[in-house]
Amino acid sequence: MKRRVIIVDGPLIFSQPCCALATLGMRRFWAAKANEVGSDILTLPLLAARLAGGFRRAADREMLSAAVAAALRGDGYLQIDKVKDLPGMVRAATQTLERAWDSDLDLTALASTSERLADLALLEHRASEALPYGAMLPRPLRNAAVERVRFAAALFGSISLEGLVDVAPIWRPLLVALSAHLEVSWSAPAKLGQDWSPGQVSVATAESPKVIRGELSADPRAEVVEALRWARQLLSRGVSASDIAITAASTQTWDEHMLVLAGHAELPIHFSHGLPALGSWEGQSCAALADVLGNGISQERLRRLLAHSSSTKAAAVPADWAAGLPRKAGLFNVDQWRRALCYARDHRSDPGAAERTLLPLLDALAPGLANAEQAGKAFLGGASLGLWRDALRNAPAAAVALSLDSLRIRDSRHPANSVVWCPASHLIGTPRRWMRLLGVAGRSWPRSDAEDPILPDHVLPRRRLVPISTAERDRLYFELLVSRPAEEIVLSRSRRSTEGALQSASALWPATLPVRICTRSRIPEHAFSETDRLLARAVEAGRSERIKAASSCWRDWNREDATAHDGTVRPGHPAVRRAVTRLHSATSLKLMVRDPLGFLWKYALDMRPVALSEVPLALDHLAFGELVHELLARTINALEPAPGFVRASSDEIELALAAAVNHVFRQWPLERPVPPALLWNHSLEEAARRSLRGLTIDTSFKKDTASWSEVSFGLPSADEGTQSPWPSGGEIFVGSSKLKLTGRIDRVDIAAGGRGVRISDYKTGATPRRPDKVVLDRGKELQRVLYAIAVKQLVPDTSQIVSRLIYLDGASPPLALSRDALEAAADDVARFLDKACELLERGHACPGPAAREPYNDMRLALPAELDAYLARKAKAFGILARDLDQLWSTP
């Protein structure tokens, strides 16, 4: 058996084993397919390592990054000391060192010429010492191999270089030394300075492809769409996936589009340069940890992190650790978590297990990014922990999110049975019969040369560090790819860049090349995905229920009459009837008369807004109102029955209020998200100020008056132990429609014997301009009237009911309704609610004045051009809701 070593280069033609899975490159696949017994496929570093012997090996990129990161932590650098901790420094330094090694520069000899080169020489020395045993830098490995070149004939037989455009200067002395002991040949794709080579050099003959054509697309995404259509067309003709390649000088512009669209297309696309690490489960585990460390602990973030954790410590957390914790609670520090877990002990099977296992993990998260390494060990394991360490090695902990974004992992697809997507440099050694070149535009092919970040031209001449410029190399790769005997080569470019700037054709674009313009709306010959297929087949797409619904919605948008898309439904719809006959609150009834369509969405379809902010900078108007009402309720309850709220002095009220503030300060963060500490304290101070006004606004009471706060009524069953002036389990009905009402009155004052009842409704919003004129306020102020209707049924023997609005932000007196005015308002409310029920029963739901309000929870469900939409449908909606017009104009 004749032994033979074939030298190749590039991750597409040669792939080293990854973990336990040995992924063979294209050349190994061809050798196995052709039954080339005795052939060994190697790269030049692997060849040098085998010749050097003694378990020596070339340090891979991971080892180099770790060694450079360790070397940068040392002191004594003359110039790079101030920037060594910046994000990207490890990657930049590793890149510069690799360029210096490839150019065979002796950094130690050059150290005396520049402080920057002296720093780089020191960095190289320290990195070499930090490598694992047996791992070597390229120059020492090359020298060790040259010293043992006498064993080459016994080891290799003959050496053949295949597909290499050039050989880095560092490996040239090794090949020269090998040529003295065995046959060295080189099959090069182009003539490019091979005069130094001692062996036989054969250059491939340039041939024109059978078909070469050009395509012009709208933008980079459209280029990817056309490339996938082209690939699908070839596969449908029986072309093997291993014969198809899509390439670009640099893939960065198209990577994201290719990843997403290839997933939709379900095409076998191999990314030879790797997939984004964040697209994997392990990457998402790291992202969840970075989110917690960078943005702080919260319940939502911790739940996400534990769901992705893979460490033994995280696995020890019991499955029911979150039982009893309110999902809305923010829990932004360890103390809040400790108290919340303590309060929820009764809900867990093992009360103390969650605290024993979870609190040490929270202590690891509390310091934030400063404890990133230990937090990674606590929550991550296996491949996730490896990615986390890579991210921390490539950048400081403060920039770990950016570092994770740049990490890539090996694609599990094999290039031998996949369409390949790769940089042009990967494709040179293994061209394919059908190739498509993306981005053949002025700025992307060829690319401009950039200064090395560590060794710019004024420190070391650029051509000494990188003998061939990026532009020259891109031109060479382009010429090599289009001069191969391919079946078809397609040159593609986009009219506009990702940013929208106009792009011109590359100087490499052939002047006589026929160009096809591919518009976005064109009907493709072969669709690349299901969505693309429906776009090409309008008749078939029209049979899709989703597209039918979308088309119908668009037609109804332009009509002036009310349609099903505007809220009209069939009369007596069961969902509408269930919504109308439910147990109502004042809020739901106000929505019914002010926005029937919003009522339908919320209570018939159960649509709810999504909370977008985990940590609010300020409480919204609803939460702030709840805060004030809780302070009022706790203060009054603390004063009842002794000494009694009506008999309490101002000092006693202030002390009770202070105790309520202290309780809320500690308890609310365990139940709901609250602002950061400084803003939370400010919110409490403002709420306490308004609460004190509400508690002291009545300067005198009759001695036999009793007071209650947060008094419930109309509940299906009464809560035991609650203090109430009436049974809270009875039913309350409103209007002839018999709408069932429940609620909670902010404050109720009742004179002895039920002679008179006073209802107080506290308002935390702004005082209206003319508060004395407010009765129903166009339907906004139904609550006090509805509560008066309820009290009339609960205390039928009372001789007088007074219902008040108390605005806490100003100095206006309470706004009271009583006697004839209150009875008239109650009749109006009952009548308008009956009209709203009839409107909904007929199926005529439509937007009301509440739809235009800035705090409308359902605003996102309405059309974006709301004013134009309501103007177009104004006449139709006016006819539907004419019975409610009077309410919408009532002061």
Side-chain angles (χ1 to χ4, degrees):
M1 179 183 68
K2 184 178 179 180
R3 302 189 63 184
R4 177 188 178 206
V5 172
I6 301 173
I7 304 298
V8 296
D9 189 26
L12 181 59
I13 194 169
F14 178 89
S15 297
Q16 296 190 55
C18 177
C19 301
L21 178 64
T23 305
L24 299 180
M26 289 301 299
R27 188 58 183 86
R28 289 187 175 186
F29 171 76
W30 295 335
K33 190 174 181 179
N35 197 24
E36 295 182 10
V37 180
S39 296
D40 199 357
I41 316 298
L42 300 174
T43 61
L44 285 170
L46 288 177
L47 176 74
R50 183 168 298 183
L51 186 56
F55 298 103
R56 295 170 178 172
R57 64 193 185 280
D60 58 24
R61 191 63 185 265
E62 183 177 351
M63 293 179 188
L64 286 175
S65 296
V68 170
L72 285 172
R73 287 194 288 268
D75 297 324
Y77 298 106
L78 300 175
Q79 288 191 353
I80 67 173
D81 192 63
K82 296 181 180 180
V83 298
K84 65 180 183 179
D85 295 326
L86 292 179
M89 183 61 184
V90 174
R91 184 167 53 250
T94 303
Q95 176 184 314
T96 300
L97 286 173
E98 288 178 337
R99 287 174 172 177
W101 295 330
D102 285 344
S103 298
D104 202 16
L105 296 179
D106 188 347
L107 294 176
T108 303
L110 294 171
S112 59
T113 63
S114 166
E115 291 183 352
R116 186 74 57 85
L117 287 167
D119 285 350
L120 209 59
L122 179 59
L123 183 64
E124 178 188 42
H125 175 70
R126 290 176 174 176
S128 177
E129 293 180 340
L131 288 174
Y133 181 79
M136 302 178 69
L137 298 181
R139 281 177 62 84
L141 180 64
R142 189 269 317 271
N143 294 337
V146 171
E147 291 176 0
R148 293 172 53 86
V149 74
R150 61 186 182 278
F151 302 109
L155 286 172
F156 305 131
S158 65
I159 296 177
S160 174
L161 280 68
E162 290 188 6
L164 274 70
V165 178
D166 193 14
V167 174
I170 191 171
W171 304 115
R172 293 176 183 178
L174 175 60
L175 292 176
V176 172
L178 287 171
S179 65
H181 297 81
L182 46 77
E183 179 185 353
V184 177
S185 61
W186 186 357
S187 177
K191 182 69 176 177
L192 184 68
Q194 289 96 357
D195 298 338
W196 60 269
S197 177
Q200 180 182 0
V201 179
S202 60
V203 179
T205 304
E207 297 184 31
S208 299
K210 293 182 179 178
V211 177
I212 181 170
R213 59 186 179 85
E215 287 191 1
L216 178 62
S217 302
D219 55 25
R221 184 185 184 279
E223 276 193 277
V224 174
V225 168
E226 294 298 337
L228 294 178
R229 288 171 173 173
W230 171 77
R232 176 75 75 181
Q233 180 181 9
L234 292 175
L235 293 172
S236 69
R237 285 164 38 191
V239 176
S240 172
S242 61
D243 289 331
I244 305 171
I246 306 171
T247 186
S250 174
T251 61
Q252 183 177 1
T253 303
W254 299 269
D255 265 339
E256 184 177 346
H257 301 306
M258 185 68 73
L259 183 65
V260 174
L261 294 176
H264 291 170
E266 297 183 0
L267 286 171
I269 306 291
H270 172 76
F271 287 63
S272 70
H273 51 296
L275 296 168
L278 291 180
S280 64
W281 174 266
E282 294 79 7
Q284 284 299 300
S285 301
C286 296
L289 179 56
D291 186 27
V292 176
L293 294 177
N295 298 316
I297 302 172
S298 73
Q299 184 177 180
E300 200 63 31
R301 295 189 188 108
L302 187 66
R303 286 177 182 268
R304 189 184 309 119
L305 175 58
L306 289 176
H308 284 80
S309 295
S310 52
S311 68
T312 54
K313 292 181 179 179
V317 178
D320 63 344
W321 67 270
L325 295 180
R327 194 63 186 256
K328 294 192 300 181
L331 304 180
F332 300 128
N333 57 57
V334 178
D335 180 63
Q336 292 176 2
W337 275 98
R338 184 176 289 107
R339 290 191 287 121
L341 291 172
C342 181
Y343 291 151
R345 279 187 170 188
D346 296 340
H347 297 269
R348 300 193 293 268
S349 56
D350 185 349
E355 296 172 63
R356 290 193 305 270
T357 56
L358 188 58
L359 288 178
L361 294 175
L362 291 170
D363 289 333
L365 296 174
L369 291 169
N371 197 39
E373 186 172 351
Q374 296 302 320
K377 294 178 182 178
F379 284 92
L380 304 177
S384 300
L385 183 58
L387 284 176
W388 184 253
R389 286 172 173 167
D390 288 344
L392 291 178
R393 186 165 51 244
N394 292 335
V400 68
L402 294 175
S403 184
L404 285 170
D405 193 41
S406 64
L407 288 180
R408 305 190 78 87
I409 58 175
R410 190 185 300 272
D411 191 349
S412 60
R413 292 185 183 274
H414 198 287
N417 60 3
S418 304
V419 177
V420 69
W421 161 239
C422 63
S425 58
H426 293 186
L427 194 60
I428 293 300
T430 172
R432 299 195 168 193
R433 296 169 61 196
W434 279 268
M435 294 183 289
R436 190 179 186 97
L437 281 59
L438 303 188
V440 189
R443 294 187 177 183
S444 52
W445 204 329
R447 296 164 292 168
S448 59
D449 216 358
E451 289 277 10
D452 186 89
I454 308 296
L455 290 180
D457 187 63
H458 69 274
V459 175
L460 185 73
R462 185 180 302 172
R463 294 287 77 87
R464 285 194 65 186
L465 185 65
V466 183
I468 301 177
S469 69
T470 303
E472 292 173 353
R473 192 170 293 275
D474 284 350
R475 291 190 185 95
L476 175 63
Y477 290 161
F478 182 87
E479 293 172 0
L480 290 176
L481 290 175
V482 300
S483 61
R484 296 298 176 89
E487 296 292 329
E488 182 183 48
I489 293 179
V490 180
L491 307 184
S492 171
R493 69 180 180 91
S494 58
R495 187 182 299 275
R496 292 187 180 273
S497 67
T498 305
E499 296 78 19
L502 285 171
Q503 295 190 132
S504 61
S506 168
L508 302 175
W509 189 282
T512 59
L513 187 70
V515 178
R516 182 176 70 163
I517 298 176
C518 300
T519 62
R520 288 180 183 272
S521 58
R522 82 178 187 91
I523 298 178
E525 298 82 3
H526 284 265
F528 77 92
S529 67
E530 175 69 10
T531 304
D532 202 31
R533 182 179 66 83
L534 292 177
L535 181 66
R537 301 180 180 181
V539 175
E540 182 178 346
R543 293 195 292 267
S544 167
E545 294 300 325
R546 289 185 179 182
I547 294 179
K548 283 181 180 178
S551 299
S552 174
C553 182
W554 175 246
R555 288 192 297 269
D556 289 349
W557 158 264
N558 291 287
R559 292 171 57 179
E560 294 184 357
D561 56 324
T563 67
H565 289 102
D566 303 308
T568 60
V569 295
R570 63 182 172 86
H573 196 288
V576 178
R577 188 164 294 166
R578 284 195 300 269
V580 171
T581 57
R582 67 184 294 274
L583 186 60
H584 289 281
S585 65
T587 301
S588 65
L589 292 180
K590 181 176 74 171
L591 186 62
M592 180 190 290
V593 296
R594 283 186 49 79
D595 188 8
L597 180 59
F599 176 86
L600 191 71
W601 285 341
K602 190 168 186 177
Y603 298 105
L605 301 180
D606 198 29
M607 293 173 61
R608 293 291 185 270
V610 178
L612 299 179
S613 176
E614 288 187 355
V615 187
L617 292 179
L619 296 177
D620 60 34
H621 67 288
L622 181 60
F624 185 75
E626 292 176 0
L627 173 60
V628 172
H629 283 78
E630 181 164 349
L631 292 179
L632 290 167
R634 289 191 175 277
T635 303
I636 295 176
N637 291 338
L639 296 172
E640 291 289 347
F645 173 63
V646 298
R647 295 179 293 276
S649 65
S650 59
D651 290 340
E652 289 173 326
I653 291 175
E654 290 182 8
L655 286 174
L657 178 60
V661 170
N662 184 59
H663 176 86
V664 169
F665 173 77
R666 294 177 56 82
Q667 192 65 25
W668 265 44
L670 308 184
E671 300 172 352
R672 63 181 73 198
V674 298
L678 182 63
L679 299 176
W680 175 225
N681 289 331
H682 174 74
S683 298
L684 281 173
E685 291 173 2
E686 179 63 20
R689 184 186 69 80
R690 299 194 184 193
S691 299
L692 184 61
R693 167 173 161 75
L695 294 166
T696 59
I697 195 169
D698 297 306
T699 57
S700 63
F701 290 88
K702 294 182 179 180
K703 293 182 179 180
D704 57 355
T705 301
S707 297
W708 290 265
S709 66
E710 300 296 326
V711 184
S712 298
F713 64 87
L715 295 174
S717 59
D719 295 334
E720 296 183 1
T722 57
Q723 298 293 328
S724 177
W726 50 65
S728 59
E731 290 186 326
I732 304 299
F733 297 100
V734 180
S736 59
S737 300
K738 299 297 182 181
L739 295 171
K740 291 184 289 185
L741 178 64
T742 185
R744 182 178 296 172
I745 304 175
D746 294 344
R747 180 174 140 196
V748 177
D749 302 317
I750 301 181
R755 298 190 310 273
V757 180
R758 184 171 65 186
I759 306 166
S760 297
D761 183 13
Y762 294 111
K763 294 292 185 180
T764 56
T767 305
R769 290 184 178 181
R770 302 178 65 183
D772 55 316
K773 300 297 183 181
V774 172
V775 179
L776 299 181
D777 194 15
R778 297 181 294 279
K780 294 180 182 179
E781 295 299 344
L782 298 187
Q783 183 166 287
R784 61 172 172 172
V785 179
L786 289 170
Y787 288 174
I789 294 173
V791 169
K792 182 66 175 176
Q793 298 180 39
L794 292 166
V795 191
D797 297 332
T798 185
S799 59
Q800 182 181 6
I801 298 175
V802 178
S803 187
R804 307 187 303 172
L805 291 178
I806 301 176
Y807 286 91
L808 302 177
D809 71 325
S812 62
L815 310 177
L817 280 180
S818 61
R819 300 187 185 277
D820 295 342
L822 184 58
E823 290 180 6
D827 292 340
D828 288 342
V829 168
R831 178 165 53 86
F832 287 125
L833 285 173
D834 290 339
K835 295 294 185 182
C837 289
E838 294 175 10
L839 179 73
L840 292 169
E841 182 67 23
R842 294 196 302 268
H844 291 169
C846 61
R852 296 179 179 269
E853 293 180 350
Y855 295 110
N856 179 16
D857 289 340
M858 300 298 171
R859 179 65 180 83
L860 191 61
L862 290 164
E865 296 182 11
L866 184 59
D867 291 337
Y869 167 73
L870 294 178
R872 185 183 304 114
K873 304 281 185 175
K875 183 177 180 180
F877 291 161
I879 295 173
L880 294 180
R882 60 180 176 271
D883 294 333
L884 296 176
D885 279 342
Q886 184 182 353
L887 172 65
W888 296 345
S889 60
T890 301

